[in-house]
């Protein structure tokens, strides 16, 4: 049962790391190309998404450490 839980958490962790990386890359693209940044709200939403993925990664790592 713990092995299955670990597998699921590790899979979720990989997914969150990928989403974090994708979001970070998109933020960098916007910062380097002002034409993409047509809305300050979009940048704020992306940064919020970035921080959400960071929090999720931290939480998943804590859960994995308990196993």
């Amino acid at each position: 049962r713990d092995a299955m839980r670990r597998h699921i958490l590790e899979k979720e962790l990989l997914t969150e790391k990928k989403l974090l990386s994708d979001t970070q890359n998109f933020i960098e693209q916007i910062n380097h190309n002002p034409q993409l940044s047509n809305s300050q709200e979009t940048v704020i939403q992306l940064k919020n998404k970035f921080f959400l993925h960071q929090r999720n990664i931290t939480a998943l790592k804590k859960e994995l450490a308990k196993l």
Side-chain angles (χ1 to χ4, degrees):
R1 187 173 152 110
D2 280 344
M4 180 62 107
R5 180 172 163 81
R6 176 175 289 283
H7 177 71
I8 292 169
L9 291 173
E10 287 172 346
K11 191 173 175 183
E12 288 180 18
L13 181 60
L14 286 174
T15 301
E16 283 296 330
K17 285 182 176 181
K18 171 86 170 88
L19 291 170
L20 178 72
S21 177
D22 291 348
T23 304
Q24 186 174 21
N25 288 337
F26 196 54
I27 290 170
E28 288 174 6
Q29 287 177 1
I30 288 175
N31 287 337
H32 287 70
N33 188 352
Q35 293 175 344
L36 293 176
S37 179
N38 54 1
S39 169
Q40 187 66 21
E41 187 173 319
T42 302
V43 175
I44 291 169
Q45 288 175 348
L46 283 170
K47 287 182 179 179
N48 287 339
K49 198 172 169 183
F50 178 83
F51 292 124
L52 173 66
H53 293 308
Q54 279 185 322
R55 285 192 306 271
N56 288 345
I57 288 169
T58 300
L60 287 165
K61 285 181 178 180
K62 283 181 184 177
E63 284 298 313
L64 282 166
K66 293 178 185 177
L67 296 179

